[in-house]
Amino acid sequence: MQTVLLVGGRGFIGGFIKAALRKRGFRVRVLARSQGRQLLDDEVAGDLLRMRQARDWTQALQGVSVVVNAAGILREEGLQNFEDVHVRAPLALAQACAARGIRFVQISALGHPADGGFIESKHRFDALLLALPVDAVVLRPSVVYSLRGSYGGTSLLRAMAAFPWRQLLPGDGHWVFQPICAEDLADVAAAACMQGERGIYQLGCAQPIALHRYQSRWRRWLHIAGEKSWRVPLPLVKLQVWIGQLLGRGPVNRTIWAMLVRGNVLDEGEQQRARAAFGVPVRDVDDVLSAAPSQMQDRWAAQLYFLAPWLQWSVVALWLWSGVVGLTTPARDIDALAQGSLLAHAHPVALARAAAVLDLALGFALAVHPRPRPVVVLMWISVVAYLLGFGLGLPALFFDPLGGLVKNIALLPMLAVLWVLADRR
């Protein structure tokens, strides 16, 4: 049984490759950062940001006969950058493979280097890899999707297709691409571990499909009524892309948008060439969608996509407004409200000001924190504290004719839902 080192095995595409490799009888070893948790039995510790010399890969490559590199980032964030993740670390790995006679399968991306740093760095490494004396296969897929999940731009496309009443469409949706489902890409990658001549292979379905047709097929698969669409003016789309690029958030950055507008299609004859090399057919979208019915959970995931940020920013606005009101309400009004209650002797003005500062801090934190789950937990705890503290100290707040304190009860499940949705991709 051959052992494969899979780099990027925790990612969207990497997970499918891991399953495909095991199905073909490979033993899989996944390079993984510990990130404060114990590694699984099939994982080996490693961090691309620190493995930039061939010698850094010695332990990870023990007993390995094939390497599959599926690591990649769509945008630079924090310490993660294209140069280290897409070039330096993989190049060091490839050099170590060349010295040991290990086959190298690279998961790259179809596109033009001028579209942005993601594609440019991927293609630059592809060239460096093929310049080494190593048995290397480079796979360049078009847009990758799956019935069993989505990531980044494909999550956005599915949500646009599932929009209530009518699907959302940027412009007239005439841009074409040749999507490939993640399962087919994984099967090709697993086959490439054993066969296929050295070189670059472009992967995608047989026929290019326009975005509006792709969206319509997903809408029918999700069993959502309405074939018409709301066309989003291109200036608004470009503004969203610009804002997402500026903030470093969102599923579509300038690179993804440039790839879509340019068209993400294979060179003539590439689809047949890849099938001849690896023996794996790449199915059309219709064939993939007809292979399995959609379930209620698929519609939930698609339609919650736009609700998640709406919920998050509503909570941000509520917390910030609560903080502003708490800081600007006159002290005499606070004293009057607390008069005759248990809070009257608990320095109500200072208490209100402190709660306001806490609300402002949590509101700002939820607005800017890249991983908001800890903030949501603190918000949940603060709501419980407000319910118990102000409810016991000033029970009249529960009987406010406009809801008053009792509305906080509804905030508890809302924050719980936000905590779940914070893990979306």
Side-chain angles (χ1 to χ4, degrees), residues 77-285:
E77 181 179 357
L79 295 177
Q80 294 197 22
N81 60 84
F82 294 137
E83 192 65 25
D84 283 336
V85 176
H86 292 172
V87 182
R88 288 198 186 104
L91 182 58
L93 172 58
Q95 290 168 341
C97 289
R100 294 167 174 79
I102 297 174
R103 187 173 175 88
F104 197 110
V105 179
Q106 161 73 357
I107 309 300
S108 186
L110 186 65
H112 194 284
D115 290 338
F118 168 74
I119 293 294
E120 186 278 330
S121 58
K122 279 281 189 180
H123 286 199
R124 182 152 47 89
F125 170 70
D126 297 346
L128 293 171
L129 172 65
L130 294 174
L132 294 173
V134 60
D135 185 15
V137 169
V138 176
L139 304 178
R140 289 182 177 175
S142 183
V143 175
V144 181
Y145 68 94
S146 174
L147 301 185
R148 294 185 292 164
S150 58
Y151 177 80
T154 54
S155 296
L156 174 62
L157 292 179
R158 191 178 302 191
M160 291 167 63
F163 204 77
W165 303 293
R166 297 185 179 191
Q167 63 173 309
L168 294 178
L169 202 61
D172 59 8
H174 67 279
W175 303 290
V176 294
F177 52 103
Q178 289 175 260
I180 176 174
C181 79
E183 292 86 343
D184 289 352
L185 172 57
D187 284 339
V188 173
C193 291
M194 296 294 295
Q195 63 196 71
E197 294 182 0
R198 192 172 184 272
I200 297 174
Y201 297 84
Q202 298 178 0
L203 302 177
C205 62
Q207 296 298 324
I209 184 172
L211 178 61
H212 66 89
R213 296 187 181 278
Y214 177 82
Q215 294 293 88
S216 295
R217 282 157 172 74
W218 276 99
R219 191 173 183 88
R220 286 199 294 270
W221 182 74
L222 291 167
H223 299 294
I224 299 175
E227 292 291 326
K228 296 182 179 181
S229 60
W230 276 313
R231 295 185 176 183
V232 182
L234 287 182
L236 287 180
V237 177
K238 293 178 181 179
L239 177 62
Q240 185 275 324
V241 172
W242 180 80
I243 293 174
Q245 186 77 24
L246 181 66
L247 298 178
R249 291 189 178 187
V252 180
N253 56 19
R254 277 201 296 262
T255 297
I256 302 302
W257 176 245
M259 290 168 60
L260 179 63
V261 172
R262 183 188 297 274
N264 204 243
V265 296
L266 281 60
D267 294 337
E268 186 176 355
E270 278 295 306
Q271 211 257 4
Q272 292 79 8
R273 175 172 171 264
R275 181 167 183 174
F278 307 112
V280 178
V282 175
R283 295 168 290 170
D284 286 326
V285 175

